[in-house]
């Protein structure tokens, strides 16, 4: 499958100073997949995401997008190719309205017509009716769940070919987490390829095509989401089942 992968990491190592955060990890995401990267605090999940989006430099290994190395590209060049990250902690613009936040997501994207722009906005409002109701509200006054929806909506405005979601469920109430995961599944079923980083193993694995387990900078396990969900070691470490 790696020949046709949208994204492929080959033996990626990333250091912070002298600390090796990633010990040579390899993974791939095929077109249309929803792949989860599961790991405890400090395992290296965000470091991996930042390596893919270009915010962290590789010290060795390679990252391929559509079979072509992107390891030397600046973050904005990766965005142009369709690699769009929803960062941990959402990072919406608090002093801008919902609509202005969404417009920031397509900054630099060229629409073929005004109706193409409208289509993108309407699609986001269809997925997140709440955002449509609150288009004039300032981002900073929204709830955590609404801000997460806004962050995902903003990413969709860039028309991602690969959507990187870094812990979208973090800090949200169980009901809201359900809602966010349902929308992630919808976005994936509409054809968007997704790499998801999560600590919420149950939700993430049950909705994923495949998953990888990341432990202290190394991939220790890979499998179908449904298989990992019933794996004894995974259940013990990430689902609190002995
Ligand atoms: P979390 O869920 O807490 O974000 P994570 O799996 O995303 O965890 P990373 O944030 O990628 O983990 O961190 C991986 C390792 O690299 C950890 O040991 C962390 O302490 C270290 N690390 C992360 N950022 C830095 C930094 N800027 N400087 C030094 N060490 C760092």
């Amino acid at each position: 499958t790696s020949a046709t992968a949208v994204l492929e990491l080959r033996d990626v190592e990333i250091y912070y100073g002298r600390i090796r955060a990633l010990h040579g990890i390899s993974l791939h995401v095929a077109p249309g997949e929803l792949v989860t990267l599961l790991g405890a605090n400090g395992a290296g999940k965000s470091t991996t995401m930042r390596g893919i989006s270009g915010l962290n430099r590789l010290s060795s290994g390679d990252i391929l997008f559509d079979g072509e190395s992107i390891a030397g590209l600046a973050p904005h060049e990766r965005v142009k190719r369709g690699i769009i990250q929803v960062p941990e902690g959402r990072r919406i613009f608090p002093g801008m309205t919902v609509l202005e936040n969404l417009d920031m997501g397509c900054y630099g994207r060229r629409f073929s017509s005004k109706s193409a722009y409208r289509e993108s906005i309407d699609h986001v409002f269809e997925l997140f009716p709440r955002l449509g109701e609150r288009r004039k509200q300032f981002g900073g006054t929204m709830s955590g769940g609404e801000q997460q929806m806004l962050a995902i909506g903003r990413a969709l405005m860039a028309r991602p070919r690969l959507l990187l979601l870094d812990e979208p469920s973090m800090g949200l109430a169980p009901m809201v987490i359900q809602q966010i995961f349902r929308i992630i599944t919808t976005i994936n079923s509409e054809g968007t390829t997704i790499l998801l980083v999560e600590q919420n193993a149950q939700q993430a694995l049950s909705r994923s095509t495949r998953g990888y387990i990341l432990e202290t900078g190394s991939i220790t396990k890979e499998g179908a989401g449904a298989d990992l969900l019933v794996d004894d070691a995974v259940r013990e470490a990430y689902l609190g089942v002995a």
Side-chain angles (χ1 to χ4, degrees):
T1 44
S2 59
T4 58
V6 176
L7 177 76
E8 186 183 352
L9 272 62
R10 290 186 182 161
D11 292 321
V12 168
E13 280 195 318
I14 292 178
Y15 280 78
Y16 293 108
R18 300 180 59 186
I19 299 166
R20 188 165 62 148
L22 294 186
H23 301 213
I25 70 165
S26 298
L27 60 82
H28 71 273
V29 182
E33 276 194 310
L34 168 51
V35 172
T36 290
L37 187 59
L38 191 67
N41 271 324
K45 305 182 299 296
S46 295
T47 301
T48 304
M49 287 303 217
R50 293 169 56 85
I52 297 166
S53 58
L55 299 172
N56 283 337
R57 196 169 261 292
L58 311 194
S59 45
S60 69
D62 204 358
I63 300 182
L64 292 89
F65 189 67
D66 290 336
E68 208 181 295
S69 176
I70 55 163
L73 297 184
H76 72 272
E77 293 171 311
R78 302 186 200 197
V79 168
K80 229 190 260 169
R81 294 202 184 192
I83 303 174
I84 309 296
Q85 182 173 16
V86 178
E88 190 176 335
R90 319 185 238 285
R91 307 281 181 92
I92 55 128
F93 301 103
M96 288 185 175
T97 67
V98 165
L99 201 54
E100 287 165 347
N101 267 278
L102 293 175
D103 284 346
M104 291 305 282
C106 53
Y107 181 83
R109 172 178 163 193
R110 271 202 221 143
F111 289 95
S112 51
S113 63
K114 207 158 190 174
S115 68
Y117 166 78
R118 274 253 51 106
E119 249 171 59
S120 288
I121 285 275
D122 288 345
H123 179 233
V124 170
F125 289 161
E126 215 174 283
L127 284 170
F128 305 104
R130 277 298 257 233
L131 297 183
E133 291 159 17
R134 298 176 174 222
R135 65 188 81 192
K136 298 253 169 72
Q137 190 172 325
F138 287 112
T141 65
M142 314 246 287
S143 72
E146 289 164 349
Q147 290 190 18
Q148 185 61 67
M149 292 174 193
L150 181 54
I152 294 172
R154 183 179 58 184
L156 292 178
M157 291 300 290
R159 202 164 36 179
R161 291 211 45 242
L162 174 68
L163 185 61
L164 304 172
L165 298 174
D166 197 345
E167 296 203 36
S169 77
M170 196 173 61
L172 302 181
M175 285 259 295
V176 184
I177 292 176
Q178 280 278 357
Q179 217 176 338
I180 296 281
F181 273 106
R182 266 202 300 273
I183 289 162
I184 290 170
T185 306
T186 303
I187 292 168
N188 176 242
S189 67
E190 288 176 350
T192 303
T193 306
I194 300 176
L195 178 60
L196 169 68
V197 151
E198 261 300 331
Q199 296 201 48
N200 192 321
Q202 178 69 42
Q203 283 285 340
L205 291 178
S206 66
R207 291 170 184 276
S208 289
T209 328
R210 289 184 305 110
Y212 293 90
I213 310 292
L214 186 63
E215 287 174 359
T216 54
S218 300
I219 303 275
T220 54
K221 204 164 265 187
E222 173 196 354
D227 293 339
L228 291 175
L229 211 46
V230 296
D231 181 281
D232 284 339
V234 172
R235 287 168 67 79
E236 194 172 334
Y238 301 99
L239 294 162
V241 185

